[in-house]
Amino acid sequence: MEYKNLVEASLMTVVNLVNEVFKDYIVPVHWTIQSFEKDIVENSISLENSFVAYDKNEPIGFSIVSVRGERGRIDSIGLLKKYRGTGISSEILTRTMETLKWKGIRDVVLEVEENEKRAVKFYQKHNFKLKRKLESLKYNIKKSEDPEYKYLPEDGKWVHDMAVSALNNLHRKPNWQREPKTLGLSEGRYIVEKIVSKGFAIGYIVWGTNEDNAFIVDISPIADETKYYDIFKDALKRIASEKNKVIMVSVPSDDLLNKVAKELNFEPFLIQWEMEKKIH
C-alpha cells in the first residue's frame, strides 16, 4: 500500500475516486474539480494532511480532512467497494488519526448516516462517540405575499462577524459547515444577504439555488432570539420568488436553527450522526 498526500495527487484523481466510492450512497456524491476547490477553501481542508491510498498505482481509497486550530474534521473518507472488509479501511482511519495527532489536533469530528449501522459500529470500534444528530430538512413553500423585510447583499467578512454575534447572543450550536468561519470563507459561492427592518440589520441568510430547489446554508437573527421565527418565516417569502422547495442539510438537533425550522413545519429526510473523538 502506498500513500500520497493531496498536494501530490491530482484533483481529478481525487474527484473521480470520491464519486466512485460514494456512487451507491443514500445521497450520491457528484463532485467536480470546481466544487472540490470551493470545499477546500470553505471547509478549511488541509491538502498536506489528506491523502489517497494506492494499490499497485491504482487509487483505491482516500481520507480528506479539515483543520482549524486544535480541531479537526474528517470531511470524507472511503474505500472502493471491492477492497472493503480487508482491513484497509481501518488502516486508512488509523493513519488519518495519527496524522492529525502529530499535527496537534485534540478533537476530531465526522458525520455518518444514521442507518449505516456498519459504519457507525466501525467508528465506535475506533473510539468515536455519538455526539448529536444532524437532520437534513425539507419544506415546500406555499404561494405567499411579498416579504416584509429588506434583503441586501453582503460579503464574507460581514456575515462572519454577524454569525459570531449570533453565536454569542443566541448561544447557537452550529456544526462545522455553518460555523462563522465557514460562512465567511464561502463568499462568492452562495447568496449572502443582510436582513433589514426599519433601517437596522436584524439578521442574515446564506442561501442559494440549484436546478431542483433552493437551499439554506444558515439563517439567524443577530441579537434577538425571539425574532428567529419571524425572520425565518419572512425569508421563506423571499426565497419563494426563486423556488417553491427548500432544503437544509445537516442541521444539528441541538441548534436553534433546527428548533425553529421544525416550528415552521420543515420535515427530516435524512438523519446523520455527528461523531467525535478526543485525541489528547
Side-chain angles (χ1 to χ4, degrees):
M1 191 71 58
E2 181 185 4
Y3 295 95
K4 293 183 180 179
N5 65 37
L6 262 58
V7 175
E8 300 174 277
S10 75
L11 293 186
M12 181 59 75
T13 296
V14 177
V15 167
N16 288 340
L17 182 58
V18 170
N19 290 342
E20 177 65 23
V21 167
F22 290 119
K23 68 180 181 181
D24 57 351
Y25 187 58
I26 189 169
V27 179
V29 173
H30 297 294
W31 270 3
T32 65
I33 289 179
Q34 291 74 23
S35 64
F36 182 42
E37 287 176 332
K38 290 176 180 178
D39 280 343
I40 291 170
V41 175
E42 182 178 342
N43 289 309
S44 304
I45 289 173
S46 173
L47 298 180
E48 63 270 23
N49 294 297
S50 304
F51 59 83
V52 175
Y54 292 82
D55 179 30
K56 298 177 182 177
N57 295 319
E58 177 191 1
I60 64 168
F62 60 88
S63 176
I64 300 172
V65 300
S66 300
V67 171
R68 286 179 180 165
E70 295 182 340
R71 298 185 301 127
R73 172 175 174 259
I74 297 179
D75 182 277
S76 186
I77 191 169
L79 185 68
L80 290 177
K81 193 170 185 177
K82 68 178 182 179
Y83 290 91
R84 294 171 194 170
T86 63
I88 296 175
S89 293
S90 288
E91 184 178 324
I92 288 175
L93 181 58
T94 299
R95 183 182 178 90
T96 299
M97 299 307 294
E98 285 298 316
T99 299
L100 292 174
K101 179 179 179 180
W102 289 110
K103 179 79 175 178
I105 300 301
R106 294 181 175 274
D107 182 77
V108 180
V109 295
L110 57 81
E111 300 90 36
V112 61
E113 204 270 315
E114 181 188 42
N115 291 326
E116 293 284 342
K117 305 297 185 184
R118 184 178 296 181
V120 172
K121 288 181 180 178
F122 170 77
Y123 291 117
Q124 288 177 322
K125 178 183 174 182
H126 288 271
N127 298 316
F128 278 84
K129 309 296 183 185
L130 300 177
K131 182 179 180 183
R132 57 182 175 176
K133 287 187 176 180
L134 306 174
E135 296 183 302
S136 292
L137 306 165
K138 63 182 179 180
Y139 180 79
N140 291 323
I141 305 175
K142 297 176 182 177
K143 205 167 184 179
S144 62
E145 65 272 19
D146 293 335
E148 298 176 19
Y149 303 138
K150 291 183 179 179
Y151 293 80
L152 305 178
E154 270 297 349
D155 60 21
K157 183 180 185 308
W158 183 88
V159 77
H160 169 272
D161 293 347
M162 295 306 102
V164 169
S165 295
L167 189 70
N168 295 326
N169 295 328
L170 280 65
H171 307 291
R172 293 279 312 271
K173 296 180 180 179
N175 55 326
W176 191 285
Q177 296 96 316
R178 49 182 54 86
E179 289 179 354
K181 184 164 187 175
T182 306
L183 299 180
L185 291 172
S186 71
E187 183 175 359
R189 188 172 193 179
Y190 310 118
I191 301 167
V192 177
E193 291 179 321
K194 171 167 55 181
I195 303 173
V196 177
S197 175
K198 299 177 182 178
F200 294 95
I202 61 171
Y204 65 84
I205 181 170
V206 180
W207 67 292
T209 62
N210 55 36
E211 186 176 339
D212 300 318
N213 49 253
F215 56 88
I216 297 173
V217 180
D218 196 31
I219 179 171
S220 180
I222 296 168
D224 188 351
E225 181 181 331
T226 66
K227 297 291 186 183
Y228 216 139
Y229 182 92
D230 290 339
I231 285 173
F232 203 152
K233 185 176 180 180
D234 192 75
L236 293 174
K237 299 176 185 177
R238 160 78 176 102
I239 292 170
S241 64
E242 301 287 339
K243 297 284 183 178
N244 60 12
K245 187 185 296 183
V246 187
I247 66 168
M248 295 193 297
V249 176
S250 304
V251 183
S253 57
D254 58 352
D255 186 31
L256 273 172
L257 177 62
N258 189 298
K259 176 177 179 291
V260 177
K262 297 286 185 58
E263 291 173 355
L264 286 164
N265 298 316
F266 274 74
E267 297 180 348
F269 66 89
L270 177 69
I271 299 176
Q272 298 166 285
W273 279 111
E274 183 177 64
M275 302 185 73
E276 182 179 44
K277 181 177 180 178
K278 304 288 186 182
I279 299 180
H280 293 283

